[in-house]
């Protein structure tokens, strides 16, 4: 085999796989989203060309509320992740080089355990008679503590908890490369530590902030497991709407329309993430 | 520079936040009581119950087979994709290719789940296959985890000393021989850690699996999900303990692999 043909094969095989199993399905989702629900046929879809499903998603109050609360919950949780993750990444990047691998491993380890089980761990903590409330009663901090499980607070906690490694890693990667002499220069020139942080460290770590926030925000908007297990029935999120329309109501066209809208909504952030990724690899070369 | 005390305090808080829930779950796997929030004494009762739970064992076995298959496929496809991204600067449709490789990493899983299911439903109507279950789940897992292998391989190739490859070529090795004898051994650790990542992601996936599994198959996450929806379950605490121990071991192995450069 000539090297040119074999290189072509190396390109073609993953390309074809992704085209068939990743790209083509989106065309099918769009086709189904334009159809209507037909409970009598298998699968329960009548093909056609109607924008009714999309119209419902943007006029029905329930769906509009689900879109808005998904965006709000994802944004607030991303901010929470950043506020917790930035100082963590900073402290790891400033630790002695010998200690860094261990500190990083401790951040990554939870990511390697089951996502489902990590979310589950919060049920026992946050339920009405859960460990948090037991602690509050035992310590006398509160006699009648409220229940966090089943509220939006629990969803925020769950997202911050589950996605924290995705925030810390890209932040660490930029903070680690940061040239300390720049900070020394700033302080030699009379900048206070806070001023040096705001004018030197923060702007230079911006690529890490953007990458980390996108890695948390994009999947959080479409999150299903966390609102389902921790958010109770009152928390509306669009990923849960898609799931319920599909599995509970067997309304495939409406679920497909939700998927298309979610994709359109996230295409900007995803493209931004890809550009960042490409840029950081170029810099590495 | 002054000691970043604030950052250290946050670091300690962050680790406590990350580990406290897991440690509590692990501790309660040894609890005698069925009430998961009341400690009533040390017992291996739930460990025994889990190990005798045949549904759980069958689901775990299925998950393991799927993870082995999809991680291996993802490693091969991801190796090719990562190599192309790092080494082939231009070909027809390269931009699209780059997007296709990276997008599954951040794509909400519900979107990928429904799209893959519709593909398989369509395929079953047209060509009577693939059968729902093992095969459809393995294909779905391969598709979304190959991105992770590709990224690791691409990053490894980006900071790679190309003079070794050039030396082999100068000495008359064909591109294939050079790849097999020089490039591949040097990037093997990256492929290994990519494989492990793909394996873990497959073992853990609930959402895509639920969409494409069909009526007959139940993987471990599907079974766990059906149980935890009903609340806390002592057998799940045991499972969590096992998963955390296995994951810690895998991570240590993977760390060793990537550090040995």
């Amino acid at each position: 085999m000539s090297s040119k043909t074999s290189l072509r094969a190396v390109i073609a095989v993953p390309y074809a796989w992704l085209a068939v199993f990743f790209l083509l399905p989106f065309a099918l989702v769009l086709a189904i989203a334009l159809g209507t629900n037909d409970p009598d046929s298998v699968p329960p879809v009548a093909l056609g060309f109607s924008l009714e499903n999309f119209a419902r998603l943007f006029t029905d109050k329930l769906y509009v509320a689900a879109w808005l609360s998904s965006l709000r919950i994802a944004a607030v949780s991303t901010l929470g992740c950043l506020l917790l993750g930035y100082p963590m990444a900073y402290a790891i990047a400033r630790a002695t080089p010998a200690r860094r691998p261990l500190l990083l491993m401790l951040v990554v380890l939870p990511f390697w355990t089951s996502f489902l089980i990590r979310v589950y761990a919060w049920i026992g903590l946050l339920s009405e008679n859960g460990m948090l409330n037991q602690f509050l009663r035992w310590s006398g901090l509160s006699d009648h503590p409220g229940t966090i499980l089943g509220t939006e607070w629990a969803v925020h906690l769950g997202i911050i908890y589950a996605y924290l490694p995705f925030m810390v890693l890209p932040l660490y990667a930029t903070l680690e490369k940061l040239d300390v002499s720049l900070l020394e220069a700033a302080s030699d020139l009379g900048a206070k530590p806070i001023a040096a942080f705001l004018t030197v460290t923060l702007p230079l770590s911006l690529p890490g902030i953007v990458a980390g926030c996108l890695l948390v925000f994009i999947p959080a908007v479409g999150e299903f497991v966390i609102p389902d297990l921790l958010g109770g029935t009152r928390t509306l999120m669009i990923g849960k709407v898609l799931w319920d329309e599909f599995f509970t109501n067997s309304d495939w066209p409406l679920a497909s329309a939700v998927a298309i809208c979610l994709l359109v909504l996230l295409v900007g952030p995803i493209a931004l993430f890809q550009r960042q990724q490409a840029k950081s690899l170029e810099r590495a070369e | 520079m002054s000691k970043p005390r604030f950052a250290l305090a946050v670091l300690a808080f962050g680790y406590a936040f990350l580990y406290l829930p897991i440690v509590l779950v692990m501790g309660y796997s040894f609890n005698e009581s069925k009430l998961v929030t009341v400690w009533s004494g040390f017992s291996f009762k739930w460990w025994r119950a889990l190990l005798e739970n045949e549904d759980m064992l069958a689901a775990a076995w299925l998950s393991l087979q799927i993870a082995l298959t999809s991680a291996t496929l993802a490693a091969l496809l991801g190796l090719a994709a990562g190599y192309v991204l790092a080494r082939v600067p231009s070909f027809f449709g390269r931009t699209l290719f780059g997007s296709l490789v990276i997008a599954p990493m951040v794509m909400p899983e519900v979107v990928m789940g429904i799209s893959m299911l519709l593909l398989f439903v369509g395929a079953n109507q047209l060509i009577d296959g693939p059968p729902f279950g093992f095969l459809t789940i393995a294909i779905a897992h391969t598709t979304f985890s190959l991105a992770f292998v590709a990224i690791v391989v691409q990053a490894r190739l980006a900071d790679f000393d190309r003079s070794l490859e050039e030396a082999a070529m100068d000495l008359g090795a064909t591109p294939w021989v050079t790849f097999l004898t020089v490039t591949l051994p040097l990037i093997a650790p990256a492929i290994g850690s990519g494989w492990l990542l793909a394996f873990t992601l497959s073992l853990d996936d609930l959402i895509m699996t639920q969409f494409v599994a069909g009526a007959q198959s139940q993987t471990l996450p599907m079974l766990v999900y059906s149980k935890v929806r009903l609340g806390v379950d002592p057998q799940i605490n045991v499972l969590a303990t096992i998963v955390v121990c296995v994951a810690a071991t895998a991570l240590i192995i993977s760390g060793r692999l990537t550090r040995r450069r």
Side-chain angles (χ1 to χ4, degrees):
Chain A
M1 203 165 29
S2 83
S3 67
K4 223 173 181 176
T5 353
S6 58
L7 183 61
R8 263 193 215 131
V10 169
I11 298 173
V13 173
Y15 212 147
W17 181 284
L18 288 166
V20 172
F21 294 117
F22 187 68
L23 197 57
L24 176 67
F26 289 127
L28 283 169
V29 177
L30 184 60
I32 301 293
L34 294 171
T36 45
N37 189 25
D38 179 5
D40 298 325
S41 67
V42 181
V45 179
L47 291 176
F49 190 88
S50 109
L51 293 172
E52 194 193 325
N53 294 310
F54 292 98
R56 251 174 91 189
L57 287 180
F58 291 100
T59 48
D60 192 317
K61 269 191 192 143
L62 183 81
Y63 296 121
V64 174
W67 286 112
L68 293 178
S69 79
S70 289
L71 289 173
R72 190 186 62 238
I73 290 174
V76 172
S77 306
T78 304
L79 187 66
C81 251
L82 180 64
L83 291 179
L84 179 59
Y86 197 101
M88 284 182 78
Y90 187 86
I92 298 174
R94 290 286 162 274
T96 56
R99 256 191 230 154
R100 281 180 217 162
L102 177 71
L103 293 174
L104 264 187
M105 199 193 90
L106 285 172
V107 173
V108 181
L109 177 62
F111 169 72
W112 286 73
T113 66
S114 163
F115 180 83
L116 193 53
I117 283 175
R118 272 185 295 146
V119 177
Y120 158 82
W122 285 92
I123 300 179
L125 268 170
L126 301 179
S127 62
E128 199 187 337
N129 287 310
M131 289 167 231
L132 181 67
N133 282 357
Q134 282 182 36
F135 174 78
L136 289 176
R137 281 189 210 113
W138 169 82
S139 62
L141 285 171
S142 165
D143 290 333
H144 302 285
T147 306
I148 300 179
L149 191 68
T151 66
E152 251 178 46
W153 289 107
V155 179
H156 286 139
L157 262 178
I159 295 178
I160 295 172
Y161 181 69
Y163 288 94
L164 190 60
F166 294 100
M167 181 62 86
V168 174
L169 289 182
L171 282 173
Y172 169 78
T174 52
L175 285 169
E176 188 221 359
K177 280 191 229 110
L178 197 119
D179 190 350
V180 181
S181 60
L182 290 173
L183 286 173
E184 282 159 9
S187 85
D188 286 350
L189 294 170
K192 293 205 174 80
I194 290 197
F197 174 80
L198 289 177
T199 53
V200 178
T201 312
L202 201 60
L204 284 173
S205 59
L206 203 59
I209 296 177
V210 173
C213 286
L214 290 172
L215 270 174
V216 176
F217 180 78
I218 299 169
V221 173
E223 184 54 54
F224 164 74
V225 173
I226 296 172
D228 187 56
L229 291 181
L230 303 181
T233 46
R234 274 173 298 169
T235 308
L236 278 173
M237 279 189 86
I238 203 67
K240 223 177 143 222
V241 168
L242 193 160
W243 183 278
D244 290 339
E245 289 300 344
F246 189 87
F247 286 106
T248 316
N249 301 342
S250 291
D251 193 338
W252 291 24
L254 190 63
S256 300
V258 175
I260 293 290
C261 291
L262 198 52
L263 200 62
V264 171
L265 183 74
L266 294 177
V267 105
I270 291 175
L272 188 64
F273 174 71
Q274 280 175 342
R275 265 190 37 207
Q276 278 262 307
Q277 198 73 13
K279 253 197 264 163
S280 73
L281 273 166
E282 266 166 40
R283 244 178 276 128
E285 279 166 38
Chain B
M1 201 168 68
S2 71
K3 277 234 166 197
R5 253 189 224 133
F6 167 73
L8 278 180
V10 176
L11 191 62
F13 173 79
Y15 286 131
F17 175 66
L18 281 175
Y19 284 94
L20 199 62
I22 300 178
V23 169
L24 284 171
V25 163
M26 290 170 81
Y28 272 85
S29 73
F30 298 103
N31 185 14
E32 212 271 325
S33 166
K34 186 170 172 50
L35 293 171
V36 198
T37 48
V38 183
W39 180 266
S40 66
F42 186 88
S43 157
F44 277 114
K45 178 160 112 188
W46 305 112
W47 282 76
R48 223 173 298 126
L50 181 83
L51 297 176
E52 285 163 4
N53 185 336
E54 288 189 6
D55 286 351
M56 198 72 95
L57 294 179
W61 176 230
L62 178 66
S63 283
L64 210 58
Q65 288 172 296
I66 292 171
L68 283 170
T69 312
S70 68
T72 308
L73 269 173
L76 290 170
L77 290 163
L79 169 62
Y83 185 86
V84 170
L85 285 178
R87 288 295 165 79
V88 192
S90 66
F91 56 89
F92 179 71
R94 193 190 184 283
T95 318
L96 176 67
F97 183 71
S99 310
L100 286 180
V101 172
I102 296 185
M105 278 178 75
V106 281
M107 189 65 60
E109 273 200 84
V110 282
V111 176
M112 274 187 85
I114 192 171
S115 66
M116 293 215 93
L117 173 78
L118 294 177
L119 176 76
F120 292 136
V121 169
N124 268 284
Q125 292 198 324
L126 283 176
I127 55 171
D128 244 1
F132 284 94
F134 181 89
L135 201 56
T136 50
I137 302 173
I139 292 174
H141 289 183
T142 304
T143 306
F144 105 104
S145 53
L146 83 83
F148 291 86
V149 184
I151 296 292
V152 182
V153 169
Q154 185 190 10
R156 183 76 188 89
L157 282 171
D159 60 23
F160 184 91
D161 185 1
R162 295 199 69 170
S163 59
L164 290 168
E165 286 173 331
E166 282 154 14
M169 305 267 251
D170 287 347
L171 294 169
T174 64
W176 259 115
V177 171
T178 309
F179 178 78
L180 289 177
T181 56
V182 179
T183 318
L184 196 59
L186 283 170
I187 60 171
I191 302 169
S193 65
W195 185 92
L196 262 179
L197 189 55
F199 181 80
T200 317
L201 290 169
S202 165
L203 215 50
D204 189 32
D205 180 73
L206 167 72
I207 296 174
M208 292 222 296
T209 315
Q210 192 93 34
F211 274 100
V212 301
Q216 310 293 326
S217 309
Q218 192 175 40
T219 63
L220 193 58
M222 288 166 78
L223 184 64
V224 170
Y225 174 67
S226 69
K227 293 213 185 291
V228 300
R229 288 204 77 177
L230 309 173
V232 182
D233 180 328
Q235 285 193 35
I236 301 297
N237 293 347
V238 177
L239 187 68
T241 311
I242 298 172
V243 168
V244 171
C245 293
V246 172
T249 318
L251 189 62
I252 291 166
I253 294 173
S254 151
R256 284 255 170 98
L257 281 176
T258 38
R259 225 171 297 147
R260 213 194 310 140
R261 286 196 172 158

